[in-house]
PDB file of all heavy atoms in Angstrom:
ATOM      1  N   THR A  54     -12.674   0.009 -20.957  1.00 98.00           N
ATOM      2  CA  THR A  54     -13.166  -0.664 -19.765  1.00 98.00           C
ATOM      3  C   THR A  54     -12.043  -0.759 -18.738  1.00 98.00           C
ATOM      4  O   THR A  54     -10.881  -0.808 -19.083  1.00 98.00           O
ATOM      5  CB  THR A  54     -13.693  -2.076 -20.082  1.00 98.00           C
ATOM      6  OG1 THR A  54     -12.605  -2.895 -20.553  1.00 98.00           O
ATOM      7  CG2 THR A  54     -14.775  -2.016 -21.180  1.00 98.00           C
ATOM      8  N   GLU A  89     -10.917   9.259  -8.465  1.00 97.00           N
ATOM      9  CA  GLU A  89      -9.828  10.207  -8.208  1.00 97.00           C
ATOM     10  C   GLU A  89      -8.725  10.085  -9.270  1.00 97.00           C
ATOM     11  O   GLU A  89      -8.042  11.065  -9.561  1.00 97.00           O
ATOM     12  CB  GLU A  89      -9.242   9.964  -6.832  1.00 97.00           C
ATOM     13  CG  GLU A  89     -10.116  10.440  -5.661  1.00 97.00           C
ATOM     14  CD  GLU A  89     -11.240   9.484  -5.322  1.00 97.00           C
ATOM     15  OE1 GLU A  89     -11.322   8.388  -5.912  1.00 97.00           O
ATOM     16  OE2 GLU A  89     -12.066   9.824  -4.446  1.00 97.00           O
ATOM     17  N   GLU A 119     -25.616   2.401 -26.619  1.00 97.00           N
ATOM     18  CA  GLU A 119     -25.640   3.836 -26.314  1.00 97.00           C
ATOM     19  C   GLU A 119     -24.517   4.604 -26.998  1.00 97.00           C
ATOM     20  O   GLU A 119     -24.713   5.711 -27.496  1.00 97.00           O
ATOM     21  CB  GLU A 119     -25.586   4.067 -24.813  1.00 97.00           C
ATOM     22  CG  GLU A 119     -25.591   5.545 -24.431  1.00 97.00           C
ATOM     23  CD  GLU A 119     -25.586   5.764 -22.911  1.00 97.00           C
ATOM     24  OE1 GLU A 119     -25.716   4.786 -22.146  1.00 97.00           O
ATOM     25  OE2 GLU A 119     -25.432   6.945 -22.498  1.00 97.00           O
ATOM     26  N   ASP A 140      -9.074 -15.731  -3.326  1.00 91.00           N
ATOM     27  CA  ASP A 140     -10.450 -15.738  -3.827  1.00 91.00           C
ATOM     28  C   ASP A 140     -10.450 -15.813  -5.344  1.00 91.00           C
ATOM     29  O   ASP A 140     -10.645 -14.796  -6.015  1.00 91.00           O
ATOM     30  CB  ASP A 140     -11.186 -14.491  -3.343  1.00 91.00           C
ATOM     31  CG  ASP A 140     -12.650 -14.443  -3.829  1.00 91.00           C
ATOM     32  OD1 ASP A 140     -13.166 -15.524  -4.200  1.00 91.00           O
ATOM     33  OD2 ASP A 140     -13.230 -13.356  -3.866  1.00 91.00           O
ATOM     34  N   SER A 190      16.792 -19.035 -16.410  1.00 89.00           N
ATOM     35  CA  SER A 190      17.738 -17.895 -16.352  1.00 89.00           C
ATOM     36  C   SER A 190      17.971 -17.256 -17.709  1.00 89.00           C
ATOM     37  O   SER A 190      18.459 -16.126 -17.775  1.00 89.00           O
ATOM     38  CB  SER A 190      19.075 -18.345 -15.752  1.00 89.00           C
ATOM     39  OG  SER A 190      19.638 -19.389 -16.531  1.00 89.00           O
ATOM     40  N   GLY A 225     -14.723 -13.847 -37.027  1.00 96.00           N
ATOM     41  CA  GLY A 225     -14.139 -12.742 -37.798  1.00 96.00           C
ATOM     42  C   GLY A 225     -14.097 -11.444 -37.036  1.00 96.00           C
ATOM     43  O   GLY A 225     -13.992 -10.369 -37.644  1.00 96.00           O
ATOM     44  N   GLY A 264      10.181 -14.801  -0.302  1.00 94.00           N
ATOM     45  CA  GLY A 264      11.237 -15.768  -0.523  1.00 94.00           C
ATOM     46  C   GLY A 264      12.631 -15.174  -0.363  1.00 94.00           C
ATOM     47  O   GLY A 264      12.926 -14.471   0.627  1.00 94.00           O
ATOM     48  N   ASN A 314      16.902   3.629  -1.914  1.00 98.00           N
ATOM     49  CA  ASN A 314      17.918   4.637  -2.235  1.00 98.00           C
ATOM     50  C   ASN A 314      17.304   5.944  -2.677  1.00 98.00           C
ATOM     51  O   ASN A 314      17.745   7.027  -2.297  1.00 98.00           O
ATOM     52  CB  ASN A 314      18.842   4.093  -3.332  1.00 98.00           C
ATOM     53  CG  ASN A 314      19.739   2.957  -2.848  1.00 98.00           C
ATOM     54  OD1 ASN A 314      19.988   2.825  -1.646  1.00 98.00           O
ATOM     55  ND2 ASN A 314      20.229   2.161  -3.742  1.00 98.00           N
ATOM     56  N   TYR A 333      15.717   4.225  12.748  1.00 97.00           N
ATOM     57  CA  TYR A 333      16.384   3.785  11.530  1.00 97.00           C
ATOM     58  C   TYR A 333      16.967   5.009  10.779  1.00 97.00           C
ATOM     59  O   TYR A 333      16.281   6.010  10.615  1.00 97.00           O
ATOM     60  CB  TYR A 333      15.452   3.029  10.611  1.00 97.00           C
ATOM     61  CG  TYR A 333      15.033   1.685  11.107  1.00 97.00           C
ATOM     62  CD1 TYR A 333      13.788   1.109  10.738  1.00 97.00           C
ATOM     63  CD2 TYR A 333      15.864   0.925  11.954  1.00 97.00           C
ATOM     64  CE1 TYR A 333      13.402  -0.146  11.200  1.00 97.00           C
ATOM     65  CE2 TYR A 333      15.483  -0.319  12.405  1.00 97.00           C
ATOM     66  CZ  TYR A 333      14.266  -0.842  12.034  1.00 97.00           C
ATOM     67  OH  TYR A 333      13.885  -2.085  12.488  1.00 97.00           O
ATOM     68  N   HIS A 349       4.931 -19.045  -7.061  1.00 87.00           N
ATOM     69  CA  HIS A 349       5.535 -17.788  -7.446  1.00 87.00           C
ATOM     70  C   HIS A 349       6.498 -17.993  -8.634  1.00 87.00           C
ATOM     71  O   HIS A 349       7.537 -18.660  -8.515  1.00 87.00           O
ATOM     72  CB  HIS A 349       6.291 -17.229  -6.223  1.00 87.00           C
ATOM     73  CG  HIS A 349       6.651 -15.765  -6.375  1.00 87.00           C
ATOM     74  ND1 HIS A 349       7.372 -15.100  -5.437  1.00 87.00           N
ATOM     75  CD2 HIS A 349       6.421 -14.884  -7.370  1.00 87.00           C
ATOM     76  CE1 HIS A 349       7.543 -13.843  -5.805  1.00 87.00           C
ATOM     77  NE2 HIS A 349       6.973 -13.691  -6.987  1.00 87.00           N
ATOM     78  N   ARG A 352      10.912 -16.064 -13.048  1.00 96.00           N
ATOM     79  CA  ARG A 352      11.440 -15.000 -13.924  1.00 96.00           C
ATOM     80  C   ARG A 352      10.490 -14.755 -15.094  1.00 96.00           C
ATOM     81  O   ARG A 352       9.978 -15.709 -15.669  1.00 96.00           O
ATOM     82  CB  ARG A 352      12.840 -15.344 -14.444  1.00 96.00           C
ATOM     83  CG  ARG A 352      13.410 -14.390 -15.445  1.00 96.00           C
ATOM     84  CD  ARG A 352      14.843 -14.737 -15.835  1.00 96.00           C
ATOM     85  NE  ARG A 352      15.281 -13.904 -16.974  1.00 96.00           N
ATOM     86  CZ  ARG A 352      15.258 -14.320 -18.256  1.00 96.00           C
ATOM     87  NH1 ARG A 352      14.873 -15.554 -18.543  1.00 96.00           N
ATOM     88  NH2 ARG A 352      15.615 -13.506 -19.218  1.00 96.00           N
TER      89      ARG A 352
END
Side-chain angles (χ1 to χ4, degrees):
T54 64
E89 285 81 4
E119 180 179 351
D140 180 20
S190 58
N314 290 339
Y333 290 152
H349 195 182
R352 175 175 170 262

